[in-house]
């Protein structure tokens, strides 16, 4: 299969309503309680109408892996997610600082970095996607995202031409 | 405990001392949360006759039973206080993210009494409570204040409820805003201002534990799907502004201070028109799956760039009701009210009253500080609203609300002061909506649609809206009880059609969250209990049957046109419906609550204080039933 980039969680800001259901679903799945501060996907709202959800984008040359002084981070060969070796990670936070998207959190209870795993252990895949009421979230690749964008722009332009 | 913490935080703003009160599962189950818990806390923490703007009034906040969970639209919070507008119970339900943060800070609710020695920000940081100097924030708008506080404290996760200049200046219908959603009606902003609190900031670090996570997640996912179906389409697609054309067609759209009920520019201010030309984005509260809030932006002209989240109620009040038939100024006026921190519904109805006074010559141009306050003059309307927030000139009179303003002005201006118990009317002319006329007349917080829901019966045609009869009491009561359950669970009303078996589903979900067993019957009982509790608060404040009335215009002036032409609500009709309502409630003919009724609702402490004896006070009709 041709390499077309890893699948990751994509949020469509035009559909996102800022409800933070993804944060509740993620933290419930990962921690067993509702604790948005430990959610691995986070909603950002810049008043009043700019909003989107952000999580790990599985960058190809992941700066977090390079930044880790203890070599605690590595890439999963299976799905490309960033794996955290719990024994090596001491929660220093260099990975947090290296991430342009703010997609990594340090769990203060265990002093360890935590990153989106795409819910690889869940039968139906990412829980944030399943709970998003507006289908703003999807599991996608850069290629699929650009395909969708191309289709939408053509549809829009053609509609205007027909008018 | 699951869901709940079982803890209420008490804050004395005068001494800045705090204490913690424990509440057990049995207590919490009786009031659930939101409005129910907030009103109960109000009852317990105030005494009869408390002056609303004095330190002795209590400002009570309570989180939703479902705060911070995946239960859709279940993250509202309740705010209760004695209203400076009505002198009766003031209770508000607001959305956004504040409720979740109350719960995550480890509280089911908090009660503020006293008044800070100087303007302060109350910062509740888990169980640490601080009073920060707010002098740098004075005069700022609501949203601006919230942004400032987040920057100042260096944490975007902090949630803030704040007042604007209107609250600082004790405008009687000032509101409290959090992230653009409001505890809007009956004047919580004035009460907060009287306590010299510019804002309440909350940060919580506790996870919310629930009793049965796997089943809760499964159940709530189903509801999320259903909530995208036809039951919520109205709110999701056009928002509540879609009411404009419906109400206009029914001939109940209040126009020019309820002088007319059909508006010639309804089309241009309709939800449909707004959606096509102004709406930029829909926004949801935390855990909301509907997103009713339509953010409209003015694209050109003098108000270019102004944005507001515009619902039907502010739209009617500031638009048709003031004779304004274009959306750009309405969007601007709505945003102005939100920023200044005043209830845009009351503001609109106050301004429309002043406009009618002006056109009738009861207020001169000089009285209006040189403004030509004709209907439709939106520039003058904006100036007046700014003056109200500052209590400047004519604004000082209007800041008192239509009831007090018309009493001060006299000249029979009370005839068209569109208020009940001091609270300005919502966007329905009840002259041809007689079930709702009963609902709004008996409303414990005054001229309000949300606590009653009886308008649904008239709008859907379940009842003959043009006539009154003795069946309306029971119907209005049932709607009010249902609305009350929603307010106590703090489930948004816009999700009310998402549940096929509401009582079963909700009681089951409640138990999944809290671990507290709750039968569908017990859930239903909460609605009736809390309606009686609010009424009991009012009785303690001296309520009499004469308070359950309608504005003189509704009772004297026949509707000039439309399907309901000629309709008005006569005293006989109102009495007939009031009798039927009190009887359905098991109250006396005078509208008082028998001791046995209060005891049956588990309000024994109130029964001892307020309940009337069962036999002497009963109406003849009830005596027959008792036998």
């Amino acid at each position: 299969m041709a390499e077309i980039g890893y699948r990751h969680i994509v949020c469509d800001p035009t559909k996102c309503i800022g409800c933070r259901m993804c944060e509740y679903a993620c933290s419930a799945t990962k921690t067993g309680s509702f604790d948005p501060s430990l959610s691995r996907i986070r909603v950002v709202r810049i008043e009043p109408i700019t909003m989107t959800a952000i999580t790990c984008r599985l960058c190809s040359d992941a700066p977090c892996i390079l930044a880790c002084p203890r070599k605690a981070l590595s890439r999963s060969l299976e799905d490309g997610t960033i794996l955290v070796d719990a024994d090596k990670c001491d929660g220093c936070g260099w990975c947090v600082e290296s991430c342009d998207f703010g997609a990594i959190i340090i769990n203060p209870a265990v002093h360890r970095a935590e990153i989106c795993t795409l819910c690889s252990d869940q039968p139906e895949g990412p829980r944030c996607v399943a709970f998003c009421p507006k289908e703003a979230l999807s599991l996608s690749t850069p290629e699929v995202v650009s395909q969708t964008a191309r289709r939408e722009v053509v549809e829009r332009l053609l509609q205007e031409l027909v008018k | 405990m699951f869901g709940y913490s079982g803890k209420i935080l008490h804050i004395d703003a005068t001494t800045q001392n705090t204490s913690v009160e424990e509440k057990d599962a049995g207590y919490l189950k009786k009031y659930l949360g939101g409005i129910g818990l907030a009103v109960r806390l109000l009852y317990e923490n105030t005494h009869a006759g408390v002056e609303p703007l004095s330190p002795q009034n209590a400002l009570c906040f309570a989180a939703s039973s479902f705060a911070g969970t995946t239960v859709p639209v279940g993250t509202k919070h309740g705010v209760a206080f004695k209203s400076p507008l009505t002198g009766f119970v003031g209770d508000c339900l607001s959305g956004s993210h504040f409720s979740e943060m109350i719960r995550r800070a480890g509280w089911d609710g908090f009660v503020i009494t006293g008044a800070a020695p100087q303007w302060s920000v109350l910062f509740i940081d888990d169980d640490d409570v601080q009073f920060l100097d707010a002098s740098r924030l004075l005069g700022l708008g609501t949203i601006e204040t919230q942004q400032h506080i987040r920057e100042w404290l260096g944490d975007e996760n902090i949630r803030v409820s704040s007042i604007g200049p209107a609250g600082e200046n004790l405008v009687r219908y000032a509101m409290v805003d959090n992230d653009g959603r409001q505890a809007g009606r009956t004047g919580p902003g004035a009460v907060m201002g009287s306590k010299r609190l510019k804002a309440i900031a909350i940060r919580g670090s506790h996870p919310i534990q629930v009793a049965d996570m796997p089943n809760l997640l499964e159940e709530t996912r189903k509801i999320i799907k259903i909530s995208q179906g036809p039951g919520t389409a109205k709110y999701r697609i056009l928002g509540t502004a879609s009411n404009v054309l419906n109400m206009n067609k029914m001939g109940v759209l209040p126009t020019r201070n309820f002088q007319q009920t059909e508006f010639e520019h309804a089309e241009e201010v309709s939800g449909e028109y707004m959606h096509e030309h102004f709406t930029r984005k829909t926004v949801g509260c935390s855990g909301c799956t509907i997103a009713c809030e339509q953010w409209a932006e003015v694209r050109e002209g003098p108000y270019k760039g102004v944005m507001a989240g515009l619902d039907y109620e502010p739209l009617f009040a500031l638009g048709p009701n003031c004779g304004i038939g274009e959306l750009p100024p309405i969007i601007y006026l709505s945003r102005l009210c939100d920023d200044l921190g005043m209830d845009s519904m009351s503001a609109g109805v106050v301004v429309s009253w002043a406009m009618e006074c002006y056109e009738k010559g009861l207020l001169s141009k000089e009285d209006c500080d040189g403004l030509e306050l004709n209907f439709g003059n939106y520039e003058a309307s904006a100036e007046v609203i700014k003056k109200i927030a500052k209590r400047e000139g004519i604004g000082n009179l209007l800041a008192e609300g239509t009831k007090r303003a018309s009493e001060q002005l006299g000249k029979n201006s009370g005839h068209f002061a569109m208020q009940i118990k001091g609270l300005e009317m919502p966007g329905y002319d009840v002259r041809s909506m007689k079930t709702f006329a009963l609902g709004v007349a008996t409303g414990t917080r005054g001229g309000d649609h949300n606590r009653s829901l009886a308008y649904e019966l008239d709008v859907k045609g379940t009842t003959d809206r043009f006539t009154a009869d003795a069946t309306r009491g029971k119907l209005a009561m049932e709607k009010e009880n249902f609305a009350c359950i929603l307010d106590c669970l703090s489930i948004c009303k816009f999700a009310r059609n998402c549940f096929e078996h509401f009582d079963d589903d909700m009681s089951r979900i409640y138990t999944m969250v809290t671990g507290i067993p709750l039968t569908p019957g017990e859930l239903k009982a909460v609605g009736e209990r809390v309606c009686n509790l609010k009424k009991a608060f009012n009785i303690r404040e001296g309520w009499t049957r004469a308070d359950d009335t309608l504005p003189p215009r509704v009772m004297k002036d026949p509707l000039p046109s439309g399907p309901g032409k000629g309709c008005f609500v006569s005293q006989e009709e109102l009495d007939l419906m009031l009798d039927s309502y009190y009887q359905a409630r098991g109250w006396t003919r005078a509208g008082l609550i028998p001791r046995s009724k209060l005891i049956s609702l588990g309000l024994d402490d109130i029964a001892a204080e307020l309940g009337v004896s069962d036999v002497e006070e009963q109406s003849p009709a009830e005596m027959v039933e008792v036998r």
Side-chain angles (χ1 to χ4, degrees), chain A residues 22-42:
Chain A
C22 50
E23 295 185 5
Y24 299 147
C26 178
S27 62
T29 307
K30 293 296 183 190
T31 72
S33 59
F34 295 108
D35 190 354
S37 59
L38 292 182
S39 172
R40 297 165 191 207
I41 182 166
R42 298 295 282 274

Side-chain angles (χ1 to χ4, degrees), chain B residues 267-472:
Chain B
E267 202 71 49
E268 293 111 284
V269 298
S270 66
E272 289 77 359
Y273 192 84
M274 179 168 99
H275 186 73
E276 198 174 329
H277 299 284
F278 295 90
T279 304
R280 281 277 312 271
K281 182 104 173 75
T282 58
V283 177
C285 301
S286 72
C288 169
T289 59
I290 296 172
C292 67
E293 199 177 317
Q294 306 274 320
W295 273 86
E297 181 179 18
V298 182
R299 312 271 170 109
E300 55 195 13
Y303 301 120
K304 188 178 173 183
V306 175
M307 275 197 275
L310 196 57
D311 294 320
Y312 170 67
E313 294 291 345
L315 202 166
F316 112 79
L318 297 162
N321 188 50
C322 290
I324 297 170
E326 309 164 62
L327 277 168
I330 300 174
I331 293 169
Y332 170 71
L333 292 169
S334 172
R335 184 59 194 248
L336 190 62
C337 289
D338 288 355
D339 282 340
L340 294 172
M342 67 175 91
D343 170 14
S344 45
M345 292 169 69
S346 279
V349 176
V350 167
V351 171
S352 71
W353 172 82
M355 285 173 160
E356 189 169 344
C357 287
Y358 180 80
E359 292 204 343
K360 292 203 159 130
L362 310 183
L363 284 173
S364 66
K365 190 172 169 180
E366 200 187 352
D367 292 331
C368 298
D369 308 324
L371 295 167
E372 289 174 359
L373 207 50
N374 297 91
F375 283 106
N377 186 347
Y378 52 79
E379 282 167 350
S381 182
E383 287 315 305
V384 165
I385 287 169
K386 289 179 200 162
K387 282 172 180 288
I388 291 172
K390 291 187 197 150
R391 277 189 173 271
E392 192 183 271
I394 180 78
N396 195 38
L397 175 73
L398 301 180
E400 292 291 291
T402 43
K403 180 169 183 268
R404 285 176 179 78
S406 64
E407 282 164 5
Q408 278 184 43
L409 181 66
K411 304 176 188 174
N412 204 26
S413 62
H415 181 81
F416 52 87
M418 301 309 291
Q419 53 80 25
I420 295 172
K421 298 186 178 77
L423 181 68
E424 284 70 24
M425 295 281 284
Y428 307 84
D429 196 308
V430 298
R431 281 174 280 189
S432 66
M433 294 179 72
K434 299 217 167 161
T435 321
F436 185 41
L438 172 64
V440 79
T442 52
T444 47
R445 73 168 183 173
D448 160 71
H449 61 299
N450 255 320
R451 302 288 174 267
S452 158
L453 276 192
Y455 59 89
E456 261 194 358
L457 299 165
D458 292 330
V459 171
K460 287 188 178 158
T462 318
T463 46
D464 174 9
R465 66 184 172 102
F466 304 112
T467 60
D469 60 51
T471 65
R472 305 305 164 90

Side-chain angles (χ1 to χ4, degrees), chain B residues 469-490:
Chain B
D469 60 51
T471 65
R472 305 305 164 90
K474 185 161 179 286
L475 293 169
M477 175 192 75
E478 284 166 355
K479 280 284 172 196
E480 189 184 17
N481 284 350
F482 177 58
C484 190
I485 295 170
L486 295 167
D487 291 343
C488 296
L489 287 168
S490 305

